[in-house]
Amino acid sequence: MHIIGPTQQRGHVLLVAGDAAVRRRTVQVAPSANLAALGVVPVSALLNSGVPSDTTYLDGVRDPNTALTRLRTAAATPGPLLVYLSGRLTVDRRSRRLHLALAGTTDASVRYTALPWEWLGAELGARPPGLTTVLLDLAADKAAWPLLQEYGSLPASPSAEVYGVVSPPGFAGGGNVVSSYTRHWIDQLRSSPSRPANLQLHVLAVGAAALPPGALVLPTARELGAPAPAPAPVAAAVPVPGRTADGASHQAVPVGQREAALGPRPAATATAAVTAAVQDPRPHIHSLATSGRHLEAATLARAWEQHALQTYGFTSPETVQWVEIRADLARMAGDFRLATRLWTGVGRTRLAYQPPDAAEVHAAAAGALYCWTQLKDEAAVRDAGTELMDLLRSLPSVDPKYLHLAQQRLELLHRAPSHR
């Protein structure tokens, strides 16, 4: 047997554009645009390796056997492999098997013109662990989405790292342009001084992308090794604003203050990042924010909010707690406009299932009011002030001076001449 040494290894990048996902004549996912954008990224950056590599583009292919041949060739490469798939997931309604729709695939021809999803796992399954990455930017049609909900995931191969998003069938879509997730993945590759680990790229891309509500994010929190963090008291989960509008000091415990050790930085290996997430991502996120790495902290928090939303629902305590964390991260970063909006939203959401005099509701109102008082832009003050006033009026037990302060500031702004 001929042993291939490290210096003889070759890598491979396989980029596959399936059929475009279209809703009401509007393109939801444009696979060809995604492939064109990835095609100008250096292969060494895509693979995170400097070994000699081959690249295969499959755009417009109609025969699943042709796609299988290219996949088999790519899987046989001895070095690192990246498989990127973009397009529409559909189902063979006779066997209820998932397929990647190829060019020309119709509901009636899925069995003959689409790529069975199980072929991907079968071809990649024999590869050694640590050498294979599967990157997905897909949309599921109405037939495939219930099956994905039943599965709760979209596995490709136990030996592969699988990252990506699958959008639900009902979202509006962005037209014939590069998908938000793929674009932000590429942006992070280009803007980072050193090539981040795949997990970090994925988390940053998910955090920055405007994903449709309910989109399936892979790997799921369950596949990372743990469910979304369990409910915890607000004061223990997030650092609340340091002072209220009247100058009274809050004495809440900041995130991670009671932790013995902080998690590793996101630039560490994927394994270390997963370990940090499994233990509890909140101390790690707080350490990023306190060290000035606000963008990384915010995107990580948003990614975990997405996991909680998919697992527990929009108004669940788990999801609301992640919105609270994002609100306070915005305050720490000096983005008081976003912080005000998030804290106000938390207050209104909590009012849907908690009494108006609940401590968590009052904490959200206090956070919103404090951040609103820090706004300098008059338009932002007016815009956020209306919703804040509505929230404060919904809390009969709130200190009247808070409502008076907010009302007074809004009245002064309305009486003052515009400086525009």
Side-chain angles (χ1 to χ4, degrees):
M1 179 183 294
H2 177 62
I3 304 297
I4 299 178
T7 58
Q8 298 171 286
Q9 285 189 357
R10 292 190 69 84
H12 200 112
V13 174
L14 174 62
L15 307 175
V16 182
D19 189 32
V22 180
R23 175 178 179 265
R24 296 178 182 174
R25 300 185 180 181
T26 300
V27 177
Q28 298 172 300
V29 174
S32 296
N34 290 343
L35 254 63
L38 283 167
V40 299
V41 178
V43 174
S44 58
L46 293 175
L47 286 178
N48 196 19
S49 173
V51 301
S53 301
D54 303 302
T55 303
T56 300
Y57 297 86
L58 283 182
D59 190 356
V61 64
R62 291 176 174 269
D63 180 10
N65 290 304
T66 300
L68 175 62
T69 300
R70 300 296 188 271
L71 175 61
R72 189 165 290 165
T73 300
T77 190
L81 169 65
L82 171 69
V83 178
Y84 174 85
L85 301 172
S86 183
R88 174 172 63 93
L89 275 179
T90 190
V91 168
D92 170 13
R93 295 181 180 179
R94 173 186 283 185
S95 62
R96 293 193 77 234
R97 293 159 59 199
L98 283 170
H99 290 67
L100 176 68
L102 301 178
T105 296
T106 65
D107 291 346
S109 68
V110 172
R111 294 179 63 199
Y112 313 104
T113 63
L115 180 70
W117 192 257
E118 62 200 43
W119 287 6
L120 182 68
E123 296 303 322
L124 299 181
R127 286 181 56 79
L131 287 178
T132 310
T133 302
V134 178
L135 186 61
L136 308 173
D137 196 336
L138 304 167
D141 65 16
K142 290 183 179 180
W145 188 248
L147 197 58
L148 283 179
Q149 298 295 97
E150 180 182 323
Y151 292 163
S153 183
L154 185 61
S157 168
S159 63
E161 293 181 23
V162 182
Y163 304 101
V165 295
V166 184
S167 298
F171 77 105
N176 197 24
V177 297
V178 181
S179 302
S180 181
Y181 174 76
T182 295
R183 175 167 53 83
H184 283 289
W185 179 285
I186 295 170
D187 288 347
Q188 293 299 330
L189 273 178
R190 288 173 171 166
S191 61
S192 301
S194 59
R195 207 279 191 185
N198 287 333
L199 179 61
Q200 184 193 2
L201 280 172
H202 167 70
V203 168
L204 293 174
V206 167
L211 298 180
L216 178 64
V217 179
L218 305 165
T220 63
R222 182 184 64 194
E223 290 166 329
L224 283 174
V234 173
V238 294
V240 299
R243 292 184 178 276
T244 59
D246 66 343
S249 177
H250 283 292
Q251 299 298 324
V253 180
V255 174
Q257 182 170 302
R258 295 172 295 171
E259 303 295 330
L262 296 176
R265 293 178 181 271
T269 64
T271 301
V274 171
T275 301
V278 169
Q279 291 172 348
D280 185 346
R282 291 172 294 184
H284 176 49
I285 290 170
H286 184 257
S287 71
L288 289 173
T290 54
S291 63
R293 298 167 67 178
H294 298 293
L295 177 60
E296 293 174 64
T299 51
L300 281 167
R302 186 173 177 185
W304 276 94
E305 179 197 347
Q306 287 290 321
H307 284 308
L309 187 152
Q310 292 160 20
T311 306
Y312 299 106
F314 180 75
T315 60
S316 66
E318 294 84 359
T319 301
V320 172
Q321 286 170 15
W322 278 106
V323 180
E324 290 171 333
I325 291 173
R326 288 185 56 215
D328 209 62
L329 290 173
R331 177 193 65 83
M332 295 171 71
D335 189 348
F336 294 106
R337 186 171 192 166
L338 175 60
T340 303
R341 180 173 63 82
L342 291 173
W343 276 121
T344 304
V346 166
R348 298 190 68 82
T349 301
R350 283 194 174 277
L351 275 174
Y353 60 88
Q354 288 183 274
D357 59 350
E360 293 86 355
V361 176
H362 276 255
L369 181 59
Y370 168 79
C371 294
W372 184 69
T373 62
Q374 306 306 302
L375 290 172
K376 307 301 181 188
D377 180 73
E378 293 182 3
V381 172
R382 290 191 185 96
D383 183 53
T386 302
E387 290 189 2
L388 175 61
M389 289 293 297
D390 289 343
L391 174 61
L392 293 175
R393 291 191 183 107
S394 302
L395 309 178
S397 58
V398 75
D399 192 327
K401 65 184 176 185
Y402 293 155
L403 188 60
H404 176 71
L405 279 170
Q407 183 68 54
Q408 189 178 51
R409 189 181 190 204
L410 281 177
E411 288 175 355
L412 286 172
L413 281 176
H414 284 299
R415 288 202 298 263
S418 174
H419 296 293
R420 295 179 182 176

